[in-house]
Amino acid sequence: MTDPELSRLFLAIVTLLMAALTVGYLFDRLGLPRVVGEIMGGLALGPSMLGGLFPDIHGWLFEAAGKQGTALDVLYWIGLVLLLFTSGFRIQRNLSRDDRNTILVVLVAATALPFGLGFAAPVMFDLSFLIGSAGNTLAFQLVMGVAVAVTSIPVISKIFIDLGIIETRFAKIVLGCATLQDLVLWTVLAIATGLIADGLPATTSEVSLLQAGKTAAITLGFLAVSLWLAPLLLKALDGTRINIISRSSPTGYTLAICFIFAALAAALGINAIFGAFVAGIAVGALPDDTFSEVKRRIADVSLAFFVPIYFALVGLKIDLPRFLDPMFTANFIVLTTMVELGAVILAARLIGKTPLTSFNLGMAMNTRGGPGIVLASVALSFGIINGVFFVTLVLAAVITSLASGAWFRLLLRRGLPLYN
């Protein structure tokens, strides 16, 4: 790159970072999810605002052809990989024995029915206007199912931390459900992107069931081997003298694990971010006395630089004047919220929970936040969905996150119980 190109690239990066951090901080101070503010920072710099008011400035800063676009894409994917990596090693592993029945029931209700209805929706209704350039209906159905069922661990965790209820029984049940659901839904997304990577035909009827089964088998095999073998291998390597990289820089060694898993997943045609997520789970199983400080450092750098830039770039891609379909977006948010809320409330009531507890569980599991946005950006990148559905999914993630935060603040302010 020439010096003027480098100058413009660095200016674009700094502008994105400052916008994400500033608006994210303001949202955090207002008691709103920081991630929503980071997206809004990028949105303000995108075609919806800066591009509409000052198109020449927006075009010069963010739409330069060639190497600048490639460099921003690399930052986008690094931020996404590190987001999933840190999410993976924060996953809860110790679930309360007393609450396992509740966790299992809520997990099935929040995942199976919403996913099933979302998967079937393109068959029951004409949603072809939402399918992306890849034209793969089966992958689109899988993404639609995930979109209806997804829950955000980072956002709901942050809401619980801000409200001082992260150690409550209610929070542990919700996070236990969301943890297991994440594992299921990221696996499904990896299968969907694997179908695109394999270049399968456009419509469900043309898709080879054998090839689809092969993609699912590779994904599940990678998951099973990684979760079983990787922690054992990493623990063994951690104690050997030949592991010079770990002795030289534990942080560099841990990041290398992340990108090795991501590269291996991508080479298998699964999804690099799924590999990073699995790597995070494997690293999370390592001894805390050795790796707790390393994980903290990686999380600090990721959340201070790479992840805010990723969310700002997501916001930058939102073109409301061009892709917003207000009626479809409103219907999607309302209908999917009703499905998720209804499924969880019904299941919770069937096992004897009070109406308020059941509603609280439903609101928590309907928080789509970061994972909903990751789903949208990954599906758009692979051509599974188009710009209209991308905008809808991002707005759904934003609105459901804001609604959950507002509900739980209101609940605590009025002194009502979370779980009884």
Side-chain angles (χ1 to χ4, degrees), residues 48 78 90 93 105-106 166 180 191 201 259 264 379 402 413:
S48 301
I78 289 176
R90 287 177 168 181
R93 291 165 184 80
V105 170
V106 174
I166 191 66
L180 297 173
I191 293 170
F259 287 103
L264 180 58
L402 292 175
R413 191 162 57 243

Side-chain angles (χ1 to χ4, degrees), residues 124-406:
M124 297 185 292
F125 307 100
D126 181 13
L127 301 179
S128 58
F129 67 99
L130 302 173
I131 298 177
S133 57
N136 192 302
T137 306
L138 179 56
F140 177 75
Q141 286 181 262
L142 291 171
V143 166
M144 179 65 83
V146 175
V148 179
V150 69
T151 300
S152 172
I153 292 177
V155 171
I156 199 65
S157 298
K158 185 63 167 61
I159 290 171
F160 289 164
I161 291 170
D162 290 342
L163 296 177
I165 58 174
I166 191 66
E167 299 296 331
T168 63
R169 184 183 182 189
F170 174 78
K172 290 178 181 178
I173 289 173
V174 169
L175 293 176
C177 293
T179 293
L180 297 173
Q181 189 190 65
D182 255 16
L183 198 54
V184 173
L185 296 182
W186 287 129
T187 302
V188 173
L189 179 60
I191 293 170
T193 56
L195 296 177
I196 303 301
D198 286 338
L200 292 180
T203 63
T204 306
S205 61
E206 296 170 343
V207 170
S208 165
L209 293 178
L210 181 62
Q211 187 63 44
K214 175 186 171 184
T215 301
I218 291 172
T219 303
L220 294 173
F222 175 79
L223 175 65
V225 171
S226 297
L227 294 184
W228 169 68
L229 184 61
L232 297 176
L233 183 61
L234 292 175
K235 285 178 183 177
L237 286 173
D238 185 49
T240 62
R241 292 186 176 182
I242 61 171
N243 193 350
I244 299 174
I245 299 175
S246 178
R247 293 164 61 191
S248 172
S249 173
T251 302
Y253 171 66
T254 306
L255 285 171
I257 293 170
C258 168
F259 287 103
I260 287 171
F261 270 73
L264 180 58
L268 291 173
I270 303 172
N271 192 318
I273 66 164
F274 183 71
F277 182 67
V278 174
I281 297 175
V283 168
L286 297 176
D288 278 341
D289 56 348
T290 306
F291 284 91
S292 59
E293 181 62 21
V294 170
K295 290 185 285 188
R296 186 192 64 78
R297 285 194 212 113
I298 292 173
D300 285 347
V301 173
S302 299
L303 296 174
F305 182 77
F306 292 102
V307 174
I309 287 180
Y310 160 71
F311 281 121
L313 285 168
V314 169
L316 193 71
K317 292 182 179 183
I318 299 174
D319 190 341
L320 294 178
R322 183 180 175 190
F323 291 119
L324 177 62
D325 184 333
M327 184 60 69
F328 172 76
T329 299
N331 287 334
F332 178 84
I333 294 172
V334 171
L335 291 174
T336 56
T337 296
M338 289 174 60
V339 168
E340 186 77 7
L341 274 176
V344 173
I345 290 171
L346 178 60
R349 292 291 289 144
L350 287 175
I351 59 172
K353 303 304 176 186
T354 66
L356 181 58
T357 295
S358 302
F359 186 79
N360 291 341
L361 289 169
M363 285 296 291
M365 295 304 293
N366 191 50
T367 308
R368 298 171 206 178
I373 294 161
V374 171
L375 169 70
S377 57
V378 170
L380 181 69
S381 298
F382 277 82
I384 299 173
I385 64 174
N386 62 12
V388 174
F389 200 29
F390 169 75
V391 169
T392 296
L393 291 179
V394 172
L395 292 179
V398 168
I399 291 170
T400 55
S401 299
L402 292 175
S404 293

Side-chain angles (χ1 to χ4, degrees), residues 16-26 34 37-38 41 303-305 308:
L16 286 165
L17 181 62
M18 293 301 100
L21 294 178
T22 300
V23 184
Y25 174 79
L26 293 176
R34 181 182 289 266
E38 291 171 350
L303 296 174
F305 182 77

